[in-house]
Amino acid sequence: MERIAVIDFETTGITPSSSCRATEIAVVMLEQGRIVDRYQSLMNAGVRVPAFIEQLTGISNAMLRSAPSAERVMNEVNEFVGTTPLLAHNAAFDQKFWDFELGRIKRTRLQNFACSLLLARRLMPAAPNHKLGTLNVFAGLPHTGQAHRAMADAEMAANLTAHLALELRHKHGLRALSHDLLCSLQKVPAAKINEHLKRHRGF
């Protein structure tokens, strides 16, 4: 499978706006099932972190005061990612913030997002739930650090994606995996996933 940029944001809320912004971003580059490069930074968007978010993430207002500006971080991370295909766990969330923060520096996303949450729902139906931490424990994947910090979560999502790729190869017989294939699989109804995979077997 080609190189994929696995992204995770920490934010001050759920929906991006002038008062709800990103506080941290991490990107890990996944290539042939291994993490080969990383980017991580706190980002100061000039908004206050609510107390419950600080408790959840450990990211405080004091930490953000000395962090680089959101504009500087997004310029750096946009250059780091380039046109590499994107993936996140619960990608609908991270995509919203990626697009919003890119828009503030007059940039536009050119590539699609794959979603390891949607893929896991189809390929790991026996998991107790499809939260990132639960899936990593269920699959016996390495502990990567404190949950709800961007780098730990990005590495967990990358490890999970590598695990799902192995499942597709070994359990379902798919030889050629691509980001486009992942994007198509995540749209297939869970009840029809095995039938869909049979059509791709041997390719």
Side-chain angles (χ1 to χ4, degrees):
M1 188 158 49
E2 77 269 43
R3 190 177 177 100
I4 293 177
V6 182
I7 288 182
D8 187 81
F9 278 103
E10 300 304 326
T11 69
T12 62
I14 294 172
T15 303
S17 68
S18 59
S19 59
C20 179
R21 300 285 303 278
T23 56
E24 185 180 38
I25 186 170
V27 182
V28 296
M29 292 295 184
L30 185 66
E31 197 169 327
Q32 304 301 323
R34 295 188 308 111
I35 294 171
V36 296
D37 207 355
R38 294 171 172 82
Y39 176 96
Q40 179 274 333
S41 183
L42 292 169
M43 47 200 295
N44 184 351
V47 298
R48 186 160 186 79
V49 180
F52 76 96
I53 294 290
E54 181 176 337
Q55 188 174 14
L56 177 70
T57 65
I59 298 171
S60 68
N61 289 292
M63 290 165 65
L64 294 182
R65 276 196 287 274
S66 58
S69 70
E71 289 76 12
R72 175 181 155 190
V73 171
M74 288 307 298
N75 272 299
E76 287 178 358
V77 76
N78 186 51
E79 187 171 325
F80 178 73
V81 169
T83 58
T84 306
L86 297 164
L87 180 143
H89 197 76
N90 190 17
F93 174 85
D94 294 276
Q95 180 179 315
K96 283 189 299 187
F97 280 90
W98 180 255
D99 290 349
F100 181 83
E101 296 293 349
L102 273 187
R104 292 183 66 90
I105 60 166
K106 306 293 189 289
R107 299 287 189 275
T108 303
R109 174 171 54 89
L110 301 175
Q111 61 273 63
N112 292 325
F113 264 90
C115 179
S116 56
L117 170 61
L118 295 178
L119 290 165
R121 282 179 178 163
R122 287 150 178 79
L123 300 173
M124 299 173 69
N129 61 59
H130 292 92
K131 294 178 180 177
L132 185 54
T134 303
L135 290 167
N136 272 257
V137 171
F138 181 77
L141 300 173
H143 178 66
T144 58
Q146 180 185 340
H148 302 297
R149 287 302 301 266
M151 182 54 75
D153 286 354
E155 288 187 354
M156 271 201 290
N159 290 338
L160 176 61
T161 302
H163 173 78
L164 293 173
L166 284 174
E167 287 275 295
L168 286 167
R169 283 197 179 94
H170 298 154
K171 186 175 176 181
H172 297 284
L174 273 66
R175 292 202 298 266
L177 299 179
S178 67
H179 183 268
D180 284 345
L181 176 61
L182 298 183
C183 288
S184 72
L185 289 179
Q186 69 194 29
K187 297 175 184 175
V188 177
K192 295 184 177 179
I193 193 69
N194 286 329
E195 176 188 334
H196 185 84
L197 287 169
K198 280 179 186 175
R199 291 201 294 271
H200 286 85
R201 195 165 290 158
F203 290 95

